[in-house]
C-alpha cells in the first residue's frame, strides 16, 4: 500500500474540464443590474481581456492548457495524492481517506492554478498591468507569483486591517515583485473618499474590490483579476480533480465521497467537477461542499441574483447567497468569508448534484489539529473545513462498517496562519453562527431563481 | 525534458549510507576533556540511548531503516528532484541545475529525517521523554513533529530572544504537542543561575544546551537529542543523497558538482556523502560546502579538538572550528550560526575530498531572490547559501562553455523567515565577516589535528 501517489510530468492533464458542457440545467446568465438584461461580453471588457471572457462563457467540454501555462504549472504540479493512513488509524475507520495536496505550490495553496492561467491570457491580450484585491493575502500572493513569472506589473489592494496584522503575506507578494498597498488607499477616488471619513479606516474586501476595479478601469493597459467565483477561475482549478482521477485510477480506486471546503467555490469545484461529470453520466458518487456556519451560503442561503461584491459594482450573478450586504464574522478562514457561492457550484447544488454541510470554527480547528498530529502537515484554516467533513464521513463509515473511499482537497498549508492555532490552543477561539431571520432580511429585495 | 523527477514509495532507499565505512583516513575519536582519553560508549549513556551511541560509532556501510521509521519518512519522502529550468534560462547558462526539494516535509526542512529516526530509537530503548535546545526553531519544530508521531514527551529550550521574536516556530512546536520554554528558564539550576544575574536574559544557544542536557541528566527516563554535527545525525540524512542518485540515474545524469549549505553539516552530508562514496571509489566529482562568512569554520577555521557546545559541556570533537567561545553574528540563517563543523564533514575536508566556500549575507539573499523570482519557491536563509554557490558554478559553466550538471540541496523553505526578506528588500540587511586575528585568538589553546 503506497502512502503517496505521484504522477509524472508527462501524465499532467493536457486540458481543463469545463462543466458547462455537461450541466443538466443551463447556467442562468449574469444580469446588468440597471436593465435586468443579460450581460454581453463587451460590457465585461473594461475589466477582463476578451480571451478570458470567452472562456467564461464557453461550453466546450475541454479547453487545451497553453504550453506557457503548462510550463509554469509543472513547477509544482501534478501534486501528490496522499493516503491519510495515520488519520484512518486514529479514527479506527474502515474508510480509506485520500487527500490531494495542493499546498505544495510556491504560495502554499491551490490559488496559483488560476493565477498562472489568468496572467498568461492577459499577457497574450496585450495587458501590461493587473490589479486585484486581497483579504488575508492568499490570492494576492498567488497572483504576485504568477505576475512575476510572466513579467506582468501588479498592484494588490489589501484590506488595511490584514495589511497591518499579517505582514508575512505582504512580504511574500513583495518578494515576487508585486506592489501591495493597504486599502482604503489614497491612490483611488474611492479610497480617498473612505479615508476622508476616517484616515485610519480598517478597510473591507468590498472597498478593496472597488479600488482595484477603479484602478483597472482608469489606468492604461490595466485589467482586473479575480481569484474565485467566476467560471473561468473554476475551469482552471479542474486540474486538481483531473489529476486525482488519474491517481486513484492508477491504484484501482474510485471515491464514494468527494469533499472540498467552499468559500467562493473554486477549490471545491476544482476537486469535484471532474467527478461530477461522471455522476451526471450515471456514476454513483456523493460530493460535499463544507462551509463555515458563519458564511453559510449553501446551507442557509437562497438561490438568487446577487452582486458578486459587497459594494454592488459587479453584474448580478446567479448564486446561492446570504446577501451581499452581509458582513462575515472574523473567522480565521479568511478565504471562506464570502456571502455568495460561484454560479457553477450554485447551479449543481440547485440541481441536487452536490450536498453541503457547515462547521463552526472551533470544530474545524479540532479537526485540523487531529490532522496535524496524525498526518503531520498543518492545514490552512479553510482546509480544516474539508478535514472536519472528511472525519465525519470516516466516522460514519465506521458506524456503518463500510469500507468507503473518501477523497478531499487539502487546499492549503497553515504556516502563515499559525497564530490562529495559537488562539485555538489557548482557548481564545470563538464560534459564530447566523440567525435565520437575518438572512431573510438580507435577501428580501433580491430576485429568486427557481 | 521533465521539470520534476519523483520516486515512488517503493523506490525509497531501504538503508542509510554510513561514510565511516569508506573513509580514507579513520575518524579521530571524541575525547574526554578531563583526561584527553577517547570517550567510551558508557560515558555518553547519560544523555543518549545505547542504540544511537552504537550507530554513532558504527562502521557498517549500510544500516537498514526500521519499518516504523520508514512508515513516517514516507509521509513526505521520497522528495522531488527538480530541474531549475527557469533559473538556468535567467542565467543563460549551459549548465543543468537540479535541486533536491527537502522543504516538502511537515516542518518545511530536512531536519525531520533525523528527528523521526532519533525518536524511534529512543522509544525502542524505553525512553519516555526528550529534551533539546533550539535557536530559530527549525530543529525544535522538527523534533516536536517526530515526538508527536511516536507519543514521546518533549521539552524544548528555545533561546529567549528567538522565543519572543519568532512566535511562529513556538506555535508550530505546540501544535505538534511539544512543550517549548524560553531559555534561560527557571526550570533548571543552570537557567536559574543565568536568570539571577538578569531576569530578562536574552539567552544563547550555549545556555539552552546547558539547560536541555541538565534536564535530561536529572530527569527520569529522559534523554537529550541533537539536530546536527553527530555521526548518527549525518547517517540519517543520507536518504537525501541516496534518493538524488536514483533520481538522476533515472534520467541518465550524474552530477559534476554537488552543493549544500553547511552549518553543523547535516544537510550538506545528507546530499553529498553518497556521492563522496563514488568519489572515493574513483569517480570524478566536485563537492562544495557553502557557509556564511560570519561563521567560516571550513574556510577560515582549523582542524582541532573543540567542544561541540559553547559552554564546554560536551566531549572534545575533532572538527574544523573557529573556537567554541566564538559568538556568531546575528545573521538570519540561524541554522548556520555554529562555530564548528561535523567531525565527518571535517574529516573529508581534511582529506581534500570536498571544497568549501563562504558567502556574505546580502549576496545569499540576492541569490535567494533570484531563485524565488525564477523557480517560485522562497528559500530559507540557510538554503540561500547553497543557491549562491550553485549560481556561481552555473556562471562559471557559462564562461567555460561547459554543459555541466549541478546538484544542490534545497534544504528548507522560507515562509517563517519572510521578515528577513523584508529586511533585505528594504535595504536593512548587513554583511558580516571575521578578522583572521580573532580566529587565531579563539583557537590558541585548542589541540590541532594533523
Amino acid at each position: 500500500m503506497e502512502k503517496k501517489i505521484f504522477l509524472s510530468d508527462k501524465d499532467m492533464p493536457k486540458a481543463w474540464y469545463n462543466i458547462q458542457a455537461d450541466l443538466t440545467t443551463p447556467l442562468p446568465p449574469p444580469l446588468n443590474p440597471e436593465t435586468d438584461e443579460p450581460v454581453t461580453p463587451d460590457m465585461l471588457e473594461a475589466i477582463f481581456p476578451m480571451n478570458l471572457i470567452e472562456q467564461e462563457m464557453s461550453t466546450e467540454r475541454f479547453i487545451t492548457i497553453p504550453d506557457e501555462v503548462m510550463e509554469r504549472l509543472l513547477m509544482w504540479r501534478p501534486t501528490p495524492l496522499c493516503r491519510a493512513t495515520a488519520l484512518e488509524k486514529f479514527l479506527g475507520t474502515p474508510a480509506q481517506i485520500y487527500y490531494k495536496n495542493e499546498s505544495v505550490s510556491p504560495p502554499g495553496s491551490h490559488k496559483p492554478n488560476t493565477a498562472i492561467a489568468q496572467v498568461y491570457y492577459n499577457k497574450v491580450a496585450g495587458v501590461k498591468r493587473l490589479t486585484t484585491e486581497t483579504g488575508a493575502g492568499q490570492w494576492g500572493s498567488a497572483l504576485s507569483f504568477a505576475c512575476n513569472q510572466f513579467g506582468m506589473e501588479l498592484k494588490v489592494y489589501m484590506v488595511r486591517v490584514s495589511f497591518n496584522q499579517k505582514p508575512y503575506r505582504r512580504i511574500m507578494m513583495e518578494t515576487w515583485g508585486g506592489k501591495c498597498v493597504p486599502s482604503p488607499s489614497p491612490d483611488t477616488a474611492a479610497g480617498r473618499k473612505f479615508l476622508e471619513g476616517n484616515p485610519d479606516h480598517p478597510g473591507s474586501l468590498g472597498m478593496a474590490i472597488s479600488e482595484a476595479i477603479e484602478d483597472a478601469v482608469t489606468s492604461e493597459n490595466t485589467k482586473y483579476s479575480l481569484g474565485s467565483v467566476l467560471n473561468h477561475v473554476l475551469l482552471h482549478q479542474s486540474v486538481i480533480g483531473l489529476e486525482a482521477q488519474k491517481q486513484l485510477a492508477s491504484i484501482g480506486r474510485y471515491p464514494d465521497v468527494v469533499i472540498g471546503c467552499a468559500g467562493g467555490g473554486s477549490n471545491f469545484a476544482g476537486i469535484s467537477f471532474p467527478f461530477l461529470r461522471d455522476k451526471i453520466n450515471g456514476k454513483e458518487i456523493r460530493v460535499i461542499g463544507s462551509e463555515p456556519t458563519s458564511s453559510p451560503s449553501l446551507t442557509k442561503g437562497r438561490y438568487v441574483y446577487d452582486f458578486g461584491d459587497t459594494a454592488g459594482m459587479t453584474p448580478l450573478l446567479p448564486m446561492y447567497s446570504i446577501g451581499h450586504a452581509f458582513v462575515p464574522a472574523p473567522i480565521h478562514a479568511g478565504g471562506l468569508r464570502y456571502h455568495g457561492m460561484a454560479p457553477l457550484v450554485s447551479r449543481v447544488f440547485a440541481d441536487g448534484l452536490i450536498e453541503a454541510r457547515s462547521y463552526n470554527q472551533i470544530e474545524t480547528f479540532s479537526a485540523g489539529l487531529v490532522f496535524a498530529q496524525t498526518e503531520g502537515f498543518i492545514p490552512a484554516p479553510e482546509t480544516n473545513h474539508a478535514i472536519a467533513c472528511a472525519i465525519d464521513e470516516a466516522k460514519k463509515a465506521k458506524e456503518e462498517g463500510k469500507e468507503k473511499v473518501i477523497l478531499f482537497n487539502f487546499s492549503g498549508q497553515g504556516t502563515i496562519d499559525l497564530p490562529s492555532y495559537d488562539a485555538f490552543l489557548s482557548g481564545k477561539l470563538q464560534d459564530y453562527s447566523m440567525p435565520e431571520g437575518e438572512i431573510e432580511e438580507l435577501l428580501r429585495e433580491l430576485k429568486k431563481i427557481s
Side-chain angles (χ1 to χ4, degrees), chain A:
Chain A
M1 189 197 64
E2 308 231 320
K3 178 79 187 161
K4 300 173 303 305
I5 300 107
F6 292 119
L7 290 179
S8 68
D9 287 12
K10 65 178 186 329
D11 291 323
M12 169 90 193
K14 303 289 181 292
W16 291 299
Y17 168 62
N18 181 8
I19 200 168
Q20 293 197 67
D22 293 308
L23 287 179
T24 48
T25 316
L27 195 63
L31 301 181
N32 179 335
E34 284 163 29
T35 63
D36 256 9
E37 290 297 311
V39 166
T40 53
D42 57 291
M43 293 169 66
L44 297 170
E45 233 192 325
I47 54 171
F48 298 117
M50 194 47 79
N51 49 14
L52 281 179
I53 297 168
E54 280 163 14
Q55 255 184 17
E56 183 69 15
M57 305 199 162
S58 170
T59 53
E60 286 286 313
R61 183 167 289 114
F62 287 100
I63 295 176
T64 301
I65 303 174
D67 288 348
E68 284 197 68
V69 173
M70 183 63 89
E71 184 188 329
R72 268 74 181 197
L73 294 181
L74 287 172
M75 292 168 73
W76 73 97
R77 305 203 71 84
T79 63
L81 180 76
C82 310
R83 170 112 182 242
T85 40
L87 176 61
E88 290 170 16
K89 202 170 153 190
F90 173 82
L91 297 171
T93 180
Q96 295 181 15
I97 308 175
Y98 295 88
Y99 63 96
K100 181 72 172 154
N101 192 351
E102 289 295 305
S103 77
V104 299
S105 75
S109 80
H110 65 290
K111 291 284 184 192
N113 294 332
T114 184
I116 288 286
Q118 289 190 46
V119 176
Y120 166 78
Y121 284 109
N122 272 285
K123 188 172 182 176
V124 166
V127 176
K128 300 287 183 221
R129 180 170 170 273
L130 287 176
T131 67
T132 198
E133 75 288 338
T134 201
Q138 274 279 15
W139 170 243
S141 54
L143 193 61
S144 183
F145 157 64
C147 282
N148 177 244
Q149 280 293 315
F150 288 100
M152 173 83 69
E153 214 182 313
L154 171 68
K155 183 157 177 185
V156 180
Y157 293 86
M158 185 171 186
V159 177
R160 184 184 299 271
V161 60
S162 299
F163 183 92
N164 291 334
Q165 282 173 3
K166 306 192 175 189
Y168 282 58
R169 283 277 167 209
R170 191 247 319 148
I171 303 168
M172 199 179 250
M173 291 180 231
E174 291 173 351
T175 301
W176 284 314
K179 184 165 183 190
C180 174
V181 296
S183 165
S185 78
D187 306 354
T188 66
R192 286 188 292 273
K193 211 182 109 198
F194 293 125
L195 286 174
E196 237 170 55
N198 177 5
D200 294 319
H201 202 299
S204 74
L205 209 52
M207 287 178 197
I209 294 177
S210 309
E211 290 203 80
I213 292 183
E214 180 191 322
D215 183 337
V217 171
T218 58
S219 307
E220 237 176 288
N221 277 324
T222 301
K223 299 283 179 194
Y224 167 76
S225 174
L226 194 65
S228 190
V229 179
L230 299 180
N231 303 343
H232 67 274
V233 179
L234 275 55
L235 173 80
H236 302 150
Q237 294 294 355
S238 66
V239 287
I240 304 173
L242 292 169
E243 286 177 13
Q245 282 185 320
K246 281 195 182 191
Q247 287 163 314
L248 284 170
S250 78
I251 51 165
R253 295 283 183 286
Y254 191 87
D256 297 293
V257 194
V258 176
I259 297 163
C261 63
S266 78
N267 100 80
F268 168 70
I271 186 91
S272 67
F273 280 8
F275 292 99
L276 271 191
R277 181 187 178 208
D278 296 345
K279 182 165 185 165
I280 292 165
N281 290 326
K283 192 100 183 172
E284 208 170 302
I285 179 171
R286 290 171 57 220
V287 172
I288 312 175
S290 180
E291 61 183 13
T293 49
S294 54
S295 293
S297 55
L298 289 176
T299 49
K300 295 210 167 175
R302 303 287 179 279
Y303 196 24
V304 294
Y305 266 111
D306 197 0
F307 293 104
D309 66 324
T310 312
M313 295 178 68
T314 71
L316 289 167
L317 300 176
M319 55 183 187
Y320 277 82
S321 174
I322 46 179
H324 65 273
F326 174 67
V327 180
I331 58 168
H332 287 278
L336 306 184
R337 295 179 68 225
Y338 186 62
H339 65 277
M341 184 54 64
L344 281 169
V345 174
S346 294
R347 184 66 261 168
V348 294
F349 186 59
D351 289 343
L353 288 165
I354 65 168
E355 305 163 39
R357 208 168 287 170
S358 72
Y359 290 90
N360 221 320
Q361 178 158 262
I362 293 175
E363 187 174 4
T364 62
F365 273 87
S366 300
L369 194 72
V370 163
F371 191 87
Q373 296 201 350
T374 51
E375 296 298 313
F377 297 101
I378 300 175
E382 292 82 0
T383 308
N384 286 342
H385 291 72
I387 296 172
C389 185
I391 289 177
D392 269 359
E393 287 296 312
K395 284 181 179 167
K396 208 168 70 182
K398 185 179 177 180
E399 282 162 26
E400 296 169 352
K402 278 190 190 158
E403 281 188 35
K404 68 183 168 190
V405 175
I406 299 169
L407 167 68
F408 76 88
N409 194 30
F410 190 85
S411 54
Q413 55 125 310
T415 308
I416 288 187
D417 306 290
L418 279 168
S420 64
Y421 282 86
D422 201 26
F424 172 63
L425 291 168
S426 54
K428 286 181 195 144
L429 273 199
Q430 204 177 316
D431 273 344
Y432 300 94
S433 47
M434 231 191 133
E436 194 72 31
E438 191 182 335
I439 299 173
E440 289 306 328
E441 182 60 29
L442 286 160
L443 295 176
R444 210 154 41 96
E445 291 182 13
L446 298 175
K447 183 175 145 187
K448 303 269 186 308
I449 304 171
S450 57

